[in-house]
C-alpha cells in the first residue's frame, strides 16, 4: 500500500526559489513505489497550484486534507515560521518537521537567543531593534566592532550585513529592514563555523550527526551568494578532536529540546579558536536547505543515511508522531472541517 504524500513548496517569501530547489531534490528522491506523490506549489503571488494546475484555495486545502502526510518544503516567512504548520494542524493532517511553536520561535533570531540562553547555551551578545529604534551608544560600546545586522525573521542570510565601521550602520539597518522591520544587531563572533544536524527517528530517538565545517572562499562570511553560488566548501566530518565533537553534538541536541523541536534541526555554531572552548550557537534552522548539496542531507549522507532513507525517516516520524498524539489522548482537529 502506498502512502499519499503531498510535497508543499514555493511560498511568498524571499526564499521562494530556495524552496523550489529543496522540493525538486525531495521529489526526485522519493520512492514512487512507496509514495503516491502530489505536488502543491504556492506561487510568489499567493496562488495555489496542484500538480501544475492552478487551483482555488479551498480545493487546494481539500487536497492537502486528503493526504496521509504532507512534506512542507517551505523556507522563510509564511511557511517555515509556523504559518504552514498551523494550517496543517487545523486541517488535521500529519506533516514532516517542526510544529507551530518551534517553527515560530526558531524563525525569530532574538527569541531563539533568549530561549537558548535560558537553557544555558552560549550565544553571541546582541540587541533586537524595532522599526523605530536605533543602536544606543552604550550598546555600541558593549558590542564593539564588527557587528552583524540581521533581519530577525528571515533565512538564507538574506539582508545580513557585516558592519566594520559605525558610519555604515544606518545603511545596514535599512538593508536588513527591507527584509524584516525587526532586526538583530549581533556582536561578531570569531571562530570556526561548524554546523550540526539533529534528526529524530520514528521511535523518538534524537541523534546528532557528524559536525560539518564551512570554509568560505571569495566571501567575507557565509552569505547568500556563498550558500548558493558555490562560494563555500564543506568538510565532513570537521577535523575536531572527539571531545569537541561530543560537546557540539550535545549542545545541538540541547538546542533541539530547548525549542521543543520535532523531526529535524540544524544548529550553526562558532567554535572559538582562543579562550573558552564552549561553542557559540549562532543560529538554528528548523527546516534547513534540502537539496542533495545542502548541509543537512550531506551530514547524514556522511553518517550513512542516504537522501532517500533520510526522507523515509522524516516521513515515518511524522506518521508515528500522529500515532503518539492520538494515543496520548490529544487528537488533532477533526478532518471534517467544511471548506467552501
Amino acid at each position: 500500500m502506498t502512502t499519499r504524500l503531498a510535497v508543499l513548496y514555493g511560498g511568498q517569501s524571499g526564499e521562494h526559489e530556495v524552496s523550489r530547489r529543496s522540493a525538486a531534490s525531495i521529489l526526485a528522491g522519493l520512492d514512487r513505489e512507496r509514495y503516491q506523490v502530489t505536488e502543491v506549489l504556492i506561487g510568489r503571488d499567493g496562488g495555489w497550484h496542484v500538480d501544475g494546475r492552478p487551483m482555488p484555495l479551498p480545493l487546494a486545502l481539500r487536497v492537502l486534507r486528503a493526504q496521509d502526510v504532507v512534506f512542507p518544503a517551505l523556507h522563510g516567512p509564511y511557511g517555515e515560521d509556523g504559518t504552514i504548520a498551523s494550517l496543517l494542524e487545523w486541517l488535521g493532517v500529519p506533516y514532516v518537521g517542526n510544529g507551530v511553536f518551534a517553527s515560530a520561535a526558531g524563525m525569530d533570531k532574538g527569541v531563539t537567543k533568549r530561549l537558548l540562553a535560558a537553557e544555558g547555551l552560549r550565544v553571541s551578545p546582541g540587541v533586537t531593534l524595532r522599526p523605530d529604534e536605533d543602536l544606543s551608544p552604550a550598546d555600541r560600546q558593549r558590542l564593539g566592532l564588527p557587528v552583524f545586522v540581521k533581519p530577525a525573521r528571515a533565512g538564507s542570510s538574506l539582508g545580513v550585513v557585516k558592519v566594520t565601521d559605525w558610519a555604515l550602520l544606518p545603511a545596514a539597518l535599512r538593508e536588513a529592514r527591507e527584509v524584516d522591520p525587526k532586526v538583530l544587531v549581533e556582536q561578531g563572533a570569531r571562530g570556526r563555523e561548524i554546523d550540526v544536524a539533529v534528526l529524530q527517528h520514528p521511535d523518538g530517538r534524537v541523534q546528532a550527526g557528524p559536525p560539518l565545517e564551512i570554509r568560505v572562499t571569495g566571501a567575507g562570511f557565509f552569505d547568500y551568494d556563498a550558500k548558493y553560488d558555490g562560494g563555500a566548501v564543506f568538510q565532513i566530518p570537521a577535523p575536531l578532536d572527539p571531545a569537541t565533537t561530543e560537546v557540539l553534538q550535545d549542545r545541538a541536541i540541547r538546542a533541539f529540546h530547548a525549542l521543543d523541536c520535532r523531526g529535524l534541526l540544524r544548529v550553526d555554531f562558532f567554535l572559538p579558536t582562543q579562550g573558552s572552548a564552549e561553542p557559540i550557537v549562532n543560529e538554528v534552522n528548523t527546516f534547513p536547505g534540502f537539496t542533495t548539496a545542502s548541509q543537512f542531507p550531506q551530514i547524514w549522507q556522511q553518517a550513512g543515511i542516504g537522501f532517500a532513507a533520510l526522507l523515509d525517516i522524516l516521513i515515518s516520524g511524522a506518521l508515528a508522531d500522529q500515532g503518539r498524539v492520538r494515543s496520548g489522548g490529544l487528537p488533532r482537529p477533526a478532518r471534517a472541517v467544511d471548506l467552501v
Side-chain angles (χ1 to χ4, degrees), residues 185-322:
V185 181
E186 193 172 64
Q187 185 179 79
R190 295 176 176 86
R192 299 164 64 183
E193 293 190 59
I194 308 290
D195 291 353
V196 178
V198 181
L199 177 66
Q200 186 174 33
H201 291 264
D203 62 1
R205 177 171 55 96
V206 177
Q207 178 185 9
L212 171 153
E213 183 163 11
I214 300 170
R215 299 184 183 275
V216 178
T217 59
F221 63 98
F222 195 38
D223 60 3
Y224 185 93
D225 290 338
K227 287 183 177 180
Y228 301 111
D229 293 343
V233 175
F234 303 146
Q235 187 170 358
I236 318 169
L240 300 165
D241 62 79
T244 302
T245 294
E246 185 176 346
V247 167
L248 286 161
Q249 292 174 325
D250 171 77
R251 303 305 186 263
I253 291 175
R254 284 174 58 186
F256 182 93
H257 290 305
L259 296 173
D260 196 24
C261 289
R262 183 182 69 197
L264 73 166
L265 183 71
R266 195 189 75 221
V267 186
D268 303 342
F269 294 95
F270 283 113
L271 185 63
T273 54
Q274 297 179 344
S276 171
E278 179 64 28
I280 301 168
V281 180
N282 180 34
E283 294 183 4
V284 302
N285 199 313
T286 55
F287 185 72
F290 233 86
T291 72
T292 54
S294 300
Q295 295 105 295
F296 191 91
Q298 283 201 47
I299 288 170
W300 291 112
Q301 181 73 45
Q302 181 67 28
I305 301 175
F307 193 76
L310 179 61
L311 298 178
D312 290 342
I313 288 170
L314 290 168
I315 294 165
S316 297
L319 292 168
D321 179 70
Q322 171 80 342

Side-chain angles (χ1 to χ4, degrees), residues 22-193:
S22 290
S25 290
I26 293 167
L27 290 164
L30 289 167
D31 181 352
R32 298 308 174 105
E33 294 185 359
R34 184 169 182 174
Y35 304 108
Q36 179 183 328
V37 180
T38 300
E39 296 185 36
V40 181
L41 167 68
I42 304 174
R44 293 181 186 275
D45 61 355
W48 288 61
H49 307 258
V50 175
D51 289 333
R53 301 187 305 275
M55 186 167 290
L57 177 58
L59 296 182
L61 295 183
R62 286 181 185 271
V63 170
L64 290 178
R65 192 181 60 188
Q67 305 301 310
D68 295 316
V69 61
V70 175
F71 199 128
L74 290 151
H75 299 291
Y78 311 111
E80 192 181 350
D81 58 356
T83 306
I84 289 298
S86 62
L87 173 64
L88 296 172
E89 291 279 355
W90 177 70
L91 291 174
V93 60
Y95 58 94
V96 169
N98 285 288
V100 178
F101 173 79
S103 298
M107 175 59 64
D108 190 310
K109 296 177 177 64
V111 171
T112 298
K113 286 168 70 73
R114 288 193 289 273
L115 290 172
L116 297 184
E119 176 63 21
L121 296 170
R122 185 181 179 190
V123 298
S124 292
V127 178
T128 300
L129 300 178
R130 303 289 177 177
D132 57 346
E133 294 178 334
D134 200 354
L135 195 65
S136 70
D139 283 329
R140 294 190 187 203
Q141 183 175 5
R142 178 174 63 89
L143 296 177
L145 289 171
V147 294
F148 283 89
V149 179
K150 305 176 178 181
R153 297 161 294 195
S156 296
S157 296
L158 289 171
V160 175
V161 181
K162 182 178 181 179
V163 174
T164 57
D165 184 329
W166 291 123
L168 303 176
L169 180 63
L173 290 172
R174 286 194 297 271
E175 183 172 343
R177 282 170 170 151
E178 289 179 0
V179 179
D180 185 359
K182 181 181 178 183
V183 302
L184 177 68
V185 181
E186 193 172 64
Q187 185 179 79
R190 295 176 176 86
R192 299 164 64 183
E193 293 190 59

